[in-house]
């Protein structure tokens, strides 16, 4: 089988690594990097850490307005589809690269599979939500990380080709965490002590492009009662400078870190505050309490499990949750068992019609888009 795999941003590189390993045992993967994340810290450093083969193609699109960026990707991917003639296109997540890959595949009549299908925050003001909805509407195969994703697709009439496989980011974390632990610790390099700092990431357009929201987050961090490590995304750095926002001495704004160092920083943190969907899940897997700097999340199970708290950007609300953060003792395996990649490949091969050998854990009191109550699995 010949599969074209589209990536463009940090979470997609992480998701691609275990899937590529599983795919390339018996199949040909044509890896296309759109160049959505293009600087070394956000792109090449991840390929280096993850040991992903160099992309077969890099479109070098770079940053820009959504329409301009997506259009450039669409042109490049369409050209490669004609040139490479894959039997299937594989996209993941919710980025503009996801959207462009889905549109190009649909226009060329190439079957499309979507990893992390069905995730919804139910806020169409978010570009990521639009990207998810379009990708799922066009995909012929939906590969879901969560039971909520399965339920959302059912509510949208898209359950016919939906499979719950678990989260490939868990596959990646389980594979790479021992390697991260074996390296000289980034904590020593940064002068940090295990469990004696908070880790913060902010990059979503809704927070970064709104000076009031970004200013509120900075205000909360400046009033936080402990050392804060803040690896600053390039677009966030530009927004901070544009708004002339400054940090207190205990907030350490550093350049973005590579994947293995990020795992170490996440595992060593007392607390994580983020607007990233991937970091929310990594925090959950590492059993580190998380504050989500948004008013909603796609990863509802982490909130229902008590390990993730939605705090928005109100400084008082953030600081109250920061001070009172106390995760529960239970920690259900809500996103699978770390073998999602193997399941995905078997489904792509057509040998598995439904996921096998996984319990389907869900959380009490959680409700999907259709208002269906879910029982707890402890």
């Amino acid at each position: 089988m010949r599969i074209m795999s589209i990536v463009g941003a940090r979470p997609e590189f992480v998701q691609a690594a275990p899937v590529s390993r599983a795919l390339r045992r018996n199949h040909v993967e044509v890896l296309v990097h759109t160049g959505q994340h293009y600087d070394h810290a956000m792109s090449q450093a991840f390929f280096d850490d993850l040991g992903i083969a160099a992309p077969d193609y890099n479109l070098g699109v770079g940053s820009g307005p959504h329409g301009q960026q997506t259009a450039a990707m669409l042109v490049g991917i369409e050209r490669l589809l004609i040139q490479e003639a894959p039997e299937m296109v594989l996209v993941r997540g919710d980025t503009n690269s996801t959207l462009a890959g889905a549109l190009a595949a649909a226009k060329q009549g190439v079957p499309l599979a979507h990893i992390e299908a069905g995730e919804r925050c139910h806020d169409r003001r978010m570009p990521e939500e639009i990207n998810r909805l379009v990708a799922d509407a066009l995909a012929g195969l939906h590969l879901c990380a969560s039971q909520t994703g399965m339920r959302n697709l059912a509510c949208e009439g898209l359950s016919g080709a939906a499979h719950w496989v678990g989260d490939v980011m868990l596959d990646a974390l389980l594979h790479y965490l021992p390697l991260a632990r074996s390296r000289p610790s980034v904590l020593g390099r940064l002068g940090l002590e295990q469990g004696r700092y908070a880790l913060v990431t902010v990059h979503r357009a809704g927070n970064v492009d709104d000076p009031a929201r970004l200013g509120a987050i900075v205000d909360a961090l400046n009033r936080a009662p402990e050392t804060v490590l803040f690896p600053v995304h390039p677009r966030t750095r530009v927004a901070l400078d544009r708004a002339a926002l400054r940090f207190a001495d205990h907030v350490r704004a550093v350049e973005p870190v590579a994947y293995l160092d990020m795992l170490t920083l996440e595992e060593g943190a007392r607390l994580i505050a983020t607007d990233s969907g991937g970091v929310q899940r990594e925090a959950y897997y590492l059993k580190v309490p998380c504050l989500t700097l948004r008013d909603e999340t796609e990863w509802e199970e982490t909130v229902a499990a008590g390990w993730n708290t939605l705090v928005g950007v109100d400084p008082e609300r953030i600081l109250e949750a920061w001070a009172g953060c106390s995760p529960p003792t239970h920690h259900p395996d809500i996103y699978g068992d770390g073998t999602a990649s193997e399941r995905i490949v078997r489904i792509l091969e057509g040998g598995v019609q439904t996921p096998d050998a996984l319990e389907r854990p869900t959380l009490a009191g959680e409700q999907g888009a259709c208002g269906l109550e879910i029982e707890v699995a402890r």
Side-chain angles (χ1 to χ4, degrees), residues 45-376:
F46 277 81
F47 280 86
D48 295 342
D49 265 7
L50 294 163
I52 304 175
D56 297 283
Y57 299 96
N58 190 326
L59 301 180
V61 168
S63 62
H66 286 284
Q68 174 183 310
Q69 187 183 64
T70 306
M73 293 175 186
L74 184 58
V75 169
I77 295 169
E78 182 180 65
R79 171 176 55 82
L80 293 177
L81 287 173
I82 295 169
Q83 177 179 320
E84 292 288 340
E87 297 164 65
M88 183 174 290
V89 170
L90 189 61
V91 297
R92 60 266 294 163
D94 55 19
T95 69
N96 286 342
S97 299
T98 309
L99 175 63
L103 287 169
K107 292 286 188 179
Q108 291 299 313
V110 181
L112 175 71
H114 183 203
I115 296 173
E116 282 188 16
E119 300 304 331
R120 302 287 183 266
C121 68
H122 310 294
D123 181 356
R124 295 197 180 192
R125 294 171 299 177
M126 291 186 62
E128 295 87 354
E129 185 78 349
I130 301 302
N131 295 344
R132 296 180 199 114
L133 287 163
V134 174
D136 281 337
L138 297 176
L141 192 58
H142 303 96
L143 304 164
C144 299
S146 73
Q147 281 296 300
T148 301
M150 292 285 288
R151 190 175 295 98
N152 289 336
L153 291 171
C155 292
E156 296 167 16
L158 296 172
S159 61
H163 302 266
W164 184 58
V165 295
D167 186 8
V168 295
M169 291 194 76
L170 175 57
D171 295 19
L173 184 144
L174 293 175
H175 180 84
Y176 290 106
L177 188 59
L179 178 58
R181 288 170 174 167
S182 72
R183 304 195 331 166
S185 178
V186 66
L187 300 188
R189 191 164 73 244
L190 294 175
L192 298 169
E193 295 182 47
Q194 183 97 6
R196 300 289 297 275
Y197 65 93
L199 178 67
V200 174
T201 74
V202 178
H203 79 281
R204 293 274 181 179
N207 285 335
V208 172
D209 296 345
D210 184 333
R213 289 182 69 89
L214 186 59
I217 292 171
V218 172
D219 180 26
L221 299 183
N222 285 342
R223 294 162 56 193
E226 62 192 315
T227 298
V228 174
L229 185 73
F230 187 2
V232 183
H233 189 287
R235 68 176 293 167
T236 308
R237 177 80 66 181
V238 171
L240 289 167
D241 291 344
R242 184 169 53 237
L245 295 168
R246 299 292 179 263
F247 291 111
D249 290 344
H250 68 276
V251 181
R252 299 181 53 187
V254 300
E255 293 301 312
V257 298
Y259 176 65
L260 295 181
D261 283 345
M262 188 64 175
L263 288 183
T264 300
L265 291 171
E266 289 172 340
E267 186 178 37
R270 186 192 71 82
L271 171 75
I272 292 173
T274 187
D275 60 7
S276 161
V279 174
Q280 288 176 57
R281 282 131 70 202
E282 287 167 347
Y284 185 81
Y285 302 143
L286 294 167
K287 300 182 181 180
V288 177
C290 183
L291 306 181
T292 292
L293 302 169
R294 290 167 50 191
D295 299 313
E296 72 295 303
T297 182
E298 309 79 54
W299 306 102
E300 301 168 4
E301 294 91 346
T302 63
V303 177
W307 285 85
N308 188 5
T309 303
L310 294 175
V311 294
V313 299
D314 177 70
E316 302 306 326
R317 187 177 170 194
I318 292 171
L319 292 169
E320 180 181 3
W322 196 300
C325 189
S326 179
T329 55
H330 68 281
H331 189 270
D333 294 331
I334 52 181
Y335 295 125
D337 61 2
T339 59
S341 301
E342 287 76 12
R343 284 184 165 76
I344 286 170
V345 172
R346 293 203 300 273
I347 292 167
L348 296 181
E349 292 170 341
V352 177
Q353 298 305 310
T354 56
D356 59 285
L358 274 177
E359 293 182 6
R360 300 189 172 211
T362 48
L363 299 169
E366 181 189 4
Q367 300 208 344
C370 294
L372 300 175
E373 187 81 12
I374 310 169
E375 294 182 358
V376 69

